[in-house]
Amino acid sequence: MPVSIYPRDLSDREWALRKPVLPGAKPGGRPRSVDLRRILNGVFYLLRTGCAWRYVPREYGPWSTVFHYFRSWRRAGVWERIHRVLRERVRRAAGRAATPSAAMIDSQSVKTTEQGGPHGYDGGKKVNGGKRHILVDTLGLLLTVVVHPANLQDREGARLVLAGLPARFPRLRHLWADQAYTGPLLDWIQEQVGWTVEVVERSPRRGFVVTADGQFQRVALPKTFEPLPRRWVVERTLAWTSRSRRMSKDYERLPATSEALVYLTGIRLLLGRLTRDQQ
């Protein structure tokens, strides 16, 4: 039976990049009998198609085995570690340092199902669910993600995202954000994290109309698409994440599971970029 069955399965080049960073079998135990490439393809199948775990095709092995590896590696931080290794390779291939010196922050509110985990109502986006709060580098590569209820304001969610980051990214010194991250948060970032923050504002959309008596009246123009400096990079990363159907909503009961799936979408993108660079 061929190793690659469906269109989004790992190619030989992608598997060659991924295999060295996978954890080995537990020492002292019996030899591993599971084909890890099929397990990974099963996880990526679920992520791309949005199916339930029990509907993962049998070609990838029992669904319970696929889920077991996903959960075990989530608990051990394997998915985040694999993403970090691949992200550093992509940055080096682009002529950058392994770790970034500047980053962008943003959030995405998504609906949850009735079996979803912690959730709240985002009055601004009119969404009852959770928030994916991400930090990316200037290439749009994911640095970290925190999933929390949507009713938590961006100013508060940013503290969860940024806490402890200076130790993980010692070169980071500058942050771009939108107007949702103003106020006391800016002082907190400078005092607790030691970064400078640049708030990118949307330009005012105003114009003039002629009234019935021939006078000019200033009015607000309708909203149109406007790519904002730096901010479009993180918004593009959120759009990349939403391409996977499993990410169209938050189906997970645990925020840690949702965060692991975000890292998995990033891993799939990084593998594609690395193999394209090698062609």
Side-chain angles (χ1 to χ4, degrees):
M1 183 181 295
V3 177
S4 295
I5 305 170
Y6 293 98
R8 292 297 292 174
D9 288 350
L10 294 172
S11 66
D12 291 339
R13 287 186 175 183
E14 291 172 333
W15 171 244
L17 289 170
R18 184 71 176 272
K19 186 178 179 180
V21 297
L22 294 177
K26 294 181 179 179
R30 63 181 182 181
R32 178 179 282 160
S33 59
V34 175
D35 186 347
L36 290 185
R37 184 171 177 178
R38 294 188 187 277
I39 295 296
L40 292 173
N41 284 335
V43 174
F44 287 131
Y45 178 92
L46 174 134
L47 184 65
R48 185 66 180 88
T49 63
C51 71
W53 284 104
R54 292 178 182 270
Y55 288 84
V56 172
R58 291 285 299 180
E59 291 88 341
Y60 297 126
W63 73 268
S64 56
T65 303
V66 179
F67 176 71
H68 166 74
Y69 274 88
F70 168 79
R71 181 177 60 179
S72 299
W73 288 358
R74 170 184 61 80
R75 291 176 172 175
V78 172
W79 300 121
E80 184 177 357
R81 186 162 62 249
I82 293 173
H83 185 277
R84 174 180 54 79
V85 172
L86 296 176
R87 181 187 67 236
E88 291 178 356
R89 289 184 183 179
V90 169
R91 287 186 56 84
R92 290 193 183 99
R96 307 293 185 91
T99 58
S101 59
M104 283 137 281
I105 189 172
D106 203 356
S107 67
Q108 178 188 51
S109 296
V110 291
K111 294 181 179 179
T112 56
T113 63
E114 67 279 1
Q115 294 184 350
H119 61 276
Y121 184 73
D122 182 350
K125 300 295 179 62
K126 305 298 190 293
V127 171
N128 186 18
K131 270 187 184 179
R132 298 171 186 147
H133 223 129
I134 68 170
L135 189 76
V136 304
D137 64 9
T138 54
L139 298 177
L141 306 180
L142 180 68
L143 299 178
T144 189
V145 57
V146 174
V147 175
H148 57 74
N151 63 335
L152 190 64
Q153 296 294 323
D154 286 348
R155 295 181 182 89
E156 299 301 322
R159 298 172 187 257
L160 303 177
V161 176
L162 302 178
L165 282 187
R168 294 170 54 190
F169 302 102
R171 295 184 66 249
L172 262 179
R173 290 292 183 270
H174 189 71
L175 181 70
W176 283 283
D178 61 23
Q179 291 174 297
Y181 298 91
T182 55
L185 174 65
L186 299 180
D187 296 330
W188 180 87
I189 294 175
Q190 293 177 356
E191 294 174 1
Q192 301 296 325
V193 187
W195 299 349
T196 58
V197 182
E198 181 178 345
V199 177
V200 181
E201 299 183 359
R202 190 178 300 274
S203 59
R205 299 287 299 173
R206 297 185 180 276
F208 295 90
V209 296
V210 180
T211 61
D213 56 359
Q215 300 296 319
F216 287 96
Q217 181 179 354
R218 192 168 187 175
V219 296
L221 297 177
K223 292 183 179 180
T224 58
F225 174 74
E226 179 186 3
L228 299 179
R230 300 296 180 179
R231 273 183 54 189
W232 68 269
V233 175
V234 64
E235 291 169 353
R236 181 186 60 179
T237 303
L238 291 171
W240 285 342
T241 302
S242 300
R243 289 179 182 176
S244 297
R245 292 191 176 184
R246 183 78 179 193
M247 310 304 290
S248 62
K249 287 185 178 181
D250 192 345
Y251 296 93
E252 317 309 324
R253 295 183 180 180
L254 298 177
T257 302
S258 300
E259 293 166 4
L261 290 175
V262 175
Y263 282 116
L264 275 163
T265 60
I267 289 171
R268 201 68 186 87
L269 291 167
L270 291 171
L271 287 172
R273 182 173 295 192
L274 286 170
T275 52
R276 285 195 301 269
D277 292 342
Q278 293 178 357
Q279 293 178 354

